[in-house]
Amino acid sequence: MMSDQRVDKLWGGRFSESTDAFVEAFTASVNFDRRLYRHDIEGSKAHARMLAHVGVLSDRECDDIVEGLDAILDEIERGGFEWSVSLEDVHMNIEARLTARIGAAGKKLHTGRSRNDQVATDIRLWLRDEIDGILVVIARARSALLDLAEREAATIMPGFTHLQVAMPITFGHHLLAWYEMLSRDSARLRDARRRINVMPLGAAALAGTTYPIDRHYTAQLLGFEGVAANSLDAVSDRDFAIETCAAAALIMTHLSRMSEEMILWASAQFGFVELPDRFCTGSSIMPQKKNPDVPELLRGKTGRVNGDLISLLTLMKGQPLAYNKDNQEDKEPLFDAVDTVRDSLRVFADMVPAIEPRRERMRAAAMQGYATATDLADYLVRKGVPFRDAHEVVGKAVRYGIERHLDLSELPLDELQGFSDQIGPDVFDVLTLEGSVAARGHYGGTAPDAVRARIREARAALENE
């Protein structure tokens, strides 16, 4: 005989005793997966309509289920829905409430499906919407970068390698490098979305169902582009979640690199930019401090998204087919990665238009470090000097300038000619910052005209996405 101590569960027929209270709380996921409620209801309504379409449910039963689910959605949205840990997850909570509202028809909703394919479908529906929202924010950030780059297309600053002054560039050109990073991020997310937009519903627990379901009909109702080809893979695959976290980690890595530059540039030692007060905080002890907290937090939050990616990779690495309870642990890192990257992009997009360049400081910094030395070497090559010889000549000229605390452009012509008889009066055309920048206006170049041309091209592409 069955023990009267057994608690009624929707799956409890095979069990003779209640789940331990701590185990019940330990295995429950409703505290975090209930954020999938809207997509769970959306998927259940489509499943019910498909069951009616193939004759498993009557039209009346389908209507009762859909109306009941709509009423539950309204309860949840209004905050009147009571979530129960004893019902484990978002799916069982909604199904139990549906049955309580409409009776026996509610018990028929789960015909031909399992929580395994149900949760996989819910996550894909949720993630599809989240990516669409993130793409909107990325587009706003990219547009803000183009606006700032256009204003600063001719603003000269030093370009760095190894954080040492390398060549003069323009601030607009530097900002376009940030734009390219975010453009690749956007493309990666769009590409990942295609693989997300495949429906696993119909795989049931792992081997499909004996009911005459129409998966393509359900997929059409839910806006999926296709259906999963293998039922085992459909319920156990989390590649799409890992891929999204990988894309999020790259986005955060890019934001972190940009933030690091903003932090450096806003320091007294650089003084290249002024960050608006609303994105900074002060010190509790030092009255003069203006701390770049937003860029610092963007840099810091990168670590947690990287951790989310590693969590998912580690979660999946040892799992046999098909579904395992381990997969319950996929949601929290995925939710965290998506939330973090969306919020980080939003604050970045808000901050970029408010950055105030300090153009004179940038220009003065470009005068340090002999930034036009390569231009002098190229000048000599155009005069017929082999590049390696030109390199050595300019290296000696730089050492001479260092000893006299003079830039190459400040050395008298006769002293420059002492290093090579190929140097003429026209050398000063290439030793100015403007001349140096203008000379590199070819592919991906930093010249103002090249920057503006790339901005026009980028704006057109952005509008067509």
Side-chain angles (χ1 to χ4, degrees):
M1 283 189 60
M2 190 177 291
S3 165
D4 5 347
Q5 297 300 313
R6 182 180 63 80
V7 170
D8 258 347
K9 300 274 189 184
L10 297 184
W11 44 259
R14 180 249 186 271
F15 289 78
S16 60
E17 63 177 359
S18 299
T19 307
D20 177 86
F22 180 76
V23 170
E24 187 172 75
F26 181 75
T27 58
S29 60
V30 67
N31 288 332
F32 53 84
D33 69 14
R34 64 188 186 188
R35 73 186 293 173
L36 297 172
Y37 72 87
R38 179 179 292 278
H39 301 90
D40 189 75
I41 288 172
E42 181 185 357
S44 290
K45 287 164 64 176
H47 183 65
R49 289 184 174 120
M50 181 276 295
L51 291 176
H53 174 70
V54 298
V56 173
L57 291 180
S58 69
D59 289 342
R60 178 63 187 170
E61 287 171 330
C62 177
D63 290 343
D64 287 347
I65 288 171
V66 170
E67 288 172 11
L69 289 170
D70 283 337
I72 292 170
L73 177 61
D74 184 60
E75 277 184 45
I76 298 172
E77 300 276 320
R78 288 187 292 103
F81 188 90
E82 291 187 16
W83 297 97
S84 170
V85 170
S86 68
L87 290 170
E88 303 174 22
D89 55 36
V90 60
H91 324 294
M92 302 297 263
N93 269 265
I94 290 174
E95 185 178 332
R97 179 61 180 140
L98 179 67
T99 300
R101 286 187 70 97
I102 69 171
K107 295 181 179 181
K108 296 185 177 183
L109 172 61
H110 209 55
T111 304
R113 75 175 182 185
S114 161
R115 279 188 293 178
N116 296 356
D117 61 344
Q118 185 180 0
V119 67
T121 302
D122 288 1
I123 298 173
R124 287 173 183 266
L125 289 170
W126 174 82
L127 196 50
R128 191 176 67 183
D129 286 350
E130 290 296 321
I131 284 180
D132 288 345
I134 290 171
L135 286 170
V136 171
V137 186
I138 290 183
R140 188 160 66 86
R142 291 163 67 198
S143 182
L145 286 172
L146 291 178
D147 290 343
L148 185 56
E150 190 163 30
R151 291 199 300 272
E152 307 302 325
T155 299
I156 290 176
M157 69 176 292
F160 298 92
T161 63
H162 308 276
L163 207 55
Q164 305 295 312
V165 172
M167 294 179 182
I169 62 171
T170 59
F171 188 37
H173 185 62
H174 194 114
L175 292 168
L176 286 181
W178 293 2
Y179 175 86
E180 298 299 337
M181 294 179 191
L182 292 183
S183 295
R184 292 193 299 274
D185 292 329
S186 183
R188 261 186 291 271
L189 283 177
R190 289 195 302 274
D191 189 49
R193 192 190 186 284
R194 289 191 302 105
R195 282 178 288 280
I196 290 166
N197 205 25
V198 175
M199 191 187 76
L201 203 60
L206 77 160
T209 176
T210 58
Y211 295 97
I213 61 173
D214 186 339
R215 299 176 67 208
H216 292 280
Y217 181 81
T218 312
Q220 183 179 0
L221 291 177
L222 292 172
F224 283 109
E225 293 177 6
V227 297
N230 181 280
S231 59
L232 288 168
D233 182 60
V235 296
S236 60
D237 166 47
R238 292 299 183 271
D239 290 3
F240 65 94
I242 293 171
E243 188 174 2
T244 301
C245 279
L250 264 175
I251 291 170
M252 292 304 299
T253 297
H254 290 153
L255 292 180
S256 182
R257 295 183 69 187
M258 300 172 201
S259 295
E260 173 66 10
E261 291 187 320
M262 278 190 277
I263 292 163
L264 288 172
W265 292 348
S267 69
Q269 289 71 26
F270 277 76
F272 287 2
V273 300
E274 183 76 23
L275 297 179
D277 289 353
R278 62 185 179 277
F279 294 97
C280 301
T281 64
S283 164
S284 63
I285 187 173
M286 294 169 284
Q288 84 283 8
K289 292 293 294 299
K290 180 178 176 180
N291 299 325
D293 279 14
V294 167
E296 287 177 352
L297 274 174
L298 288 173
R299 187 176 60 183
K301 286 179 182 293
T302 303
R304 68 187 289 164
V305 176
N306 288 349
D308 293 331
L309 171 60
I310 296 302
S311 292
L312 286 179
L313 287 167
T314 306
L315 174 72
M316 297 305 299
K317 74 175 183 63
Q319 284 197 40
L321 293 172
Y323 185 84
N324 300 278
K325 187 66 170 178
D326 312 43
N327 284 352
Q328 181 171 293
E329 292 296 305
D330 63 354
K331 296 168 197 63
E332 288 179 287
L334 178 61
F335 292 163
D336 181 69
V338 168
D339 290 346
T340 302
V341 78
R342 183 190 59 241
D343 292 347
S344 296
L345 283 164
R346 175 183 171 181
V347 76
F348 179 80
D350 289 344
M351 183 171 54
V352 166
I355 293 173
E356 298 176 15
R358 300 174 70 177
R359 299 177 184 89
E360 292 307 314
R361 287 292 295 267
M362 290 185 182
R363 182 182 178 83
M367 288 294 295
Q368 301 172 9
Y370 299 88
T372 59
T374 305
D375 297 279
L376 179 55
D378 290 341
Y379 167 88
L380 289 171
V381 168
R382 288 193 294 272
K383 297 279 188 173
V385 179
F387 179 77
R388 283 300 166 203
D389 293 340
H391 189 287
E392 183 177 0
V393 166
V394 177
K396 291 177 179 178
V398 167
R399 187 174 63 205
Y400 181 82
I402 291 171
E403 291 169 353
R404 283 154 182 76
H405 306 289
L406 295 173
D407 184 68
L408 292 174
S409 63
E410 297 171 327
L411 292 174
L413 178 60
D414 61 334
E415 292 184 15
L416 284 171
Q417 289 175 327
F419 297 100
S420 172
D421 58 9
Q422 296 299 315
I423 295 176
D426 59 343
V427 71
F428 294 105
D429 294 337
V430 302
L431 292 181
T432 64
L433 296 177
E434 286 76 12
S436 174
V437 164
R440 291 191 302 279
H442 304 297
Y443 170 76
T446 187
D449 286 347
V451 170
R452 294 186 184 103
R454 174 58 186 140
I455 290 169
R456 289 192 296 272
E457 181 183 74
R459 283 196 197 283
L462 192 53
E463 288 171 4
N464 289 327
E465 284 182 1

